[in-house]
Amino acid sequence: MARKAAIIGGGVIGGGWAARFLLNGWDVAVFDPDPQAERKIGEVLANARAALPALSDVPLPPEGKITFCGTITEAVEGAEYIQESVSERLGLKHRVFAQIQQASHGVPIGSSTSGFKPSELQENAADPSVIFVAHPFNPVYLLPLAEVVPSAKSDAKVIENAKEILREIGMFPLHVRKEIDAHIADRFLEAVWREALWLVKDGVATTEEIDEAIRMGFGLRWGQMGLFETYRIAGGEAGMKHFLAQFGPCLTWPWTKLMDVPEFNDELVDLIAGQSDEQSGKYSIRELERIRDSNLIGFMRVLKDRNWGAGKVLKDHDKMLAARLPEPPKAEPMAMAHMQVLPGWIDYNGHMTESRYLFASSETSDNFLRLIGADMDYVAGGHSYYTAETHIMHLGEAKLGDRLTGSVQVLHADEKRLHVFIRITRGDEVVASLEQMLLHVDMKAGKTCPAAPEVLAKLMPIAEAHKALPMPKDAGRFCGQRK
């Protein structure tokens, strides 16, 4: 039976939470009095379905069931985790917590609040020990950070349980040890936001020029190395101490207006909104969301390849998902990769280019090798499977945005050889098939050798189960051979 999460408040953030839980196999109950809530969350969920699986190299669990409830009581009944994402009004949040705790006892209640401290959220609560801050970032279904902020009244066991739940759905719970207004990340954003408002108001830069300064420069550095590690490198071989000695005196110079806020009036609103419309108005919000998601997938997959930053969170989540794959093996091809055809995958004909079919096959076979234990740790020990032969057949045309699944059927396996048939499918349609022969190799000796017993212990039961499958009609063909 699927675990249940309750989402109270179904706006952009609540919808993102719902998608994150659903796509990780949880059932989700949503309460939001907005009559458009189901439509809005449906649109967020559609974006999430197209994006989140592209980050995983292991099949996500079957999607949970979403239910839209008429009352908070109905939504939280039987929930193992509750996330509150209503408007940033403290009185409203207090009323919501009171209703939740009339029907739920001892269940973690995370709040998506950007600014309120947990001690403020807990005021007059029936059980303050289970209420805490779990502040995410948009899009919640892709970005892993959740700032988890307890107070002195929080139950440490509840907080640790909540952090583990967040890890299970692929998030990175950053435990903020001391409660403070706006937590950690939003304090940085507020500082940058204030400075940006002044630059626009004073006519120094437009909204587009400010965005270019970020995305063409320091934004790229921050995305993979943060603030302090970036500046450590900026100090050269002498490191952080040299950087501080060099730039520390600048702190006394009148560079910024950090503590001075421009008057927030209609003139400033019209100025910024007008520039923003000119900058991005040719795209709808949903189009901008999809562009953002595709860019984030690209960035995060690069980090994943290097096991760094947000990419390390993705790798750890894959390991967690792989550990839950059903046992024993079934007599059916194993779905091992979920992908989406991205802009960089398209050739001049508007179709997925040949090299990307090989990439899709590699993603699929690599995930299978990880499943049986032939992962990067195994390679570091001096052994690996090398692809000795590949035969690819192009059977359909994959186009931009298509969601693809890569599955593996083991045709034969022994101590040294692994013969597989890979299907790349779009729904029920096979758009390409690849037959591969892989050899197990002692990398130092440069020759074949038997695979490790622990690898064979995982591989051979799969091979045995797949003996019951019919031989694919295209297996064993050579180029140009008739069917």
Side-chain angles (χ1 to χ4, degrees):
M1 183 176 178
R3 302 162 79 183
K4 177 183 175 181
I7 308 298
I8 310 302
V12 172
I13 298 300
W17 276 111
R20 171 74 79 163
F21 274 102
L22 273 171
L23 294 178
N24 278 280
W26 287 57
D27 287 343
V28 172
V30 178
F31 170 78
D32 192 313
D34 181 359
Q36 297 294 314
E38 188 168 350
R39 175 189 63 80
K40 292 176 182 177
I41 289 182
E43 292 177 357
V44 173
L45 187 54
N47 284 350
R49 288 187 179 117
L52 182 59
L55 290 176
S56 180
D57 292 321
V58 175
L60 291 172
E63 185 176 311
K65 178 184 177 183
I66 187 168
T67 304
F68 291 88
C69 302
T71 65
I72 288 178
T73 298
E74 181 186 355
V76 303
E77 185 179 0
E80 188 176 334
Y81 182 91
I82 301 166
Q83 185 72 22
E84 169 272 310
S85 301
V86 302
S87 300
E88 287 287 87
R89 302 199 306 272
L90 189 57
L92 173 61
K93 291 181 183 291
H94 285 162
R95 291 194 296 274
V96 166
F97 293 143
Q99 291 181 56
I100 289 173
Q101 294 199 317
Q102 286 177 359
S104 173
H105 305 284
V107 177
I109 306 172
S111 173
S112 299
T113 181
S114 299
F116 293 123
K117 298 190 291 287
S119 57
E120 295 173 313
L121 300 174
Q122 295 167 341
E123 290 172 357
N124 301 317
D127 182 3
S129 70
V130 299
I131 298 172
F132 61 98
V133 171
H135 175 235
F137 288 81
N138 189 37
V140 183
Y141 53 78
L142 286 183
L143 295 181
L145 180 62
E147 294 177 306
V148 174
V149 193
S151 79
K153 293 183 179 179
S154 298
D155 184 325
K157 290 183 178 179
V158 170
I159 298 300
E160 290 305 312
N161 177 36
K163 286 162 61 178
E164 185 57 32
I165 287 173
L166 293 174
R167 290 189 191 98
E168 289 174 7
I169 61 171
M171 302 194 79
F172 179 81
L174 178 64
H175 191 128
V176 180
R177 292 175 290 107
K178 190 173 184 179
E179 61 175 338
I180 186 173
D181 291 326
H183 326 311
I184 295 177
D186 273 353
R187 295 182 75 89
F188 289 112
L189 295 179
E190 175 68 14
V192 174
W193 176 242
R194 287 175 187 241
E195 199 61 31
L197 291 179
W198 275 116
L199 290 170
V200 174
K201 179 179 173 59
D202 291 345
V204 175
T206 65
T207 58
E208 184 172 12
E209 289 164 350
I210 290 169
D211 284 351
E212 298 290 21
I214 295 171
R215 63 188 174 201
M216 299 298 177
F218 66 84
L220 292 171
R221 299 186 311 195
W222 280 10
Q224 54 88 38
M225 204 164 273
L227 179 68
F228 285 99
E229 205 159 42
T230 292
Y231 284 159
R232 178 180 179 84
I233 295 172
E237 293 183 2
M240 180 60 86
K241 188 168 286 188
H242 175 69
F243 175 82
L244 292 172
Q246 185 175 8
F247 291 98
C250 302
L251 296 174
T252 62
W253 300 350
W255 276 8
T256 74
K257 297 183 178 181
L258 195 57
M259 301 308 295
D260 188 13
V261 184
E263 182 182 356
F264 193 78
N265 53 28
D266 290 344
E267 182 181 0
L268 180 60
V269 170
D270 290 343
L271 176 64
I272 291 175
Q275 290 186 6
S276 179
D277 289 345
E278 184 177 351
Q279 174 187 350
S280 307
K282 60 184 176 181
Y283 300 108
S284 71
I285 294 299
R286 293 301 176 216
E287 287 173 327
L288 286 172
E289 287 176 342
R290 288 189 285 272
I291 291 168
R292 172 203 65 193
D293 289 356
S294 292
N295 291 337
L296 286 173
I297 289 167
F299 291 156
M300 293 167 73
R301 286 210 65 96
V302 168
L303 293 173
K304 187 176 185 181
D305 290 342
R306 288 153 180 78
N307 198 29
W308 191 266
K312 185 178 186 304
V313 178
L314 296 176
K315 271 189 173 289
D316 290 344
H317 190 227
D318 276 358
K319 290 180 181 178
M320 194 178 297
L321 291 173
R324 298 182 199 152
L325 289 177
E327 294 289 347
K330 297 180 181 178
E332 60 186 31
M334 301 176 68
M336 294 306 307
H338 297 284
M339 299 155 283
Q340 185 178 21
V341 181
L342 303 175
W345 294 26
I346 300 300
D347 62 15
Y348 48 83
N349 294 316
H351 306 150
M352 184 165 144
T353 191
E354 292 176 8
S355 65
R356 286 298 175 174
Y357 283 100
L358 292 171
F359 171 79
S361 170
S362 179
E363 289 287 286
T364 304
S365 59
D366 282 354
N367 293 340
F368 182 76
L369 293 178
R370 293 187 189 100
L371 176 67
I372 63 174
D375 53 15
M376 291 307 296
D377 290 337
Y378 191 72
V379 172
H383 295 88
S384 184
Y385 279 93
Y386 285 4
T387 303
E389 189 174 341
T390 299
H391 177 224
I392 180 170
M393 292 188 66
H394 298 276
L395 304 169
E397 296 177 348
K399 299 180 181 180
L400 181 64
D402 285 350
R403 294 183 63 193
L404 306 177
T405 299
S407 64
V408 171
Q409 178 179 343
V410 177
L411 302 181
H412 173 78
D414 56 33
E415 288 185 333
K416 296 183 179 181
R417 294 176 298 177
L418 174 57
H419 186 192
V420 296
F421 192 81
I422 294 171
R423 296 174 177 88
I424 307 299
T425 58
R426 176 181 52 210
D428 295 329
E429 177 192 3
V430 180
V431 295
S433 67
L434 299 96
E435 185 177 357
Q436 288 189 326
M437 178 64 73
L438 298 93
L439 301 178
H440 188 268
V441 174
D442 181 324
M443 298 165 66
K444 186 175 182 180
K447 61 182 182 180
T448 60
C449 70
E454 59 270 21
V455 170
L456 293 173
K458 294 180 179 179
L459 170 60
M460 299 312 290
I462 298 173
E464 187 63 30
H466 285 194
K467 284 182 180 179
L469 295 173
M471 180 66 67
K473 62 182 178 60
D474 293 325
R477 284 181 45 149
F478 59 83
C479 287
Q481 178 184 7
R482 293 184 178 180
K483 294 182 179 179

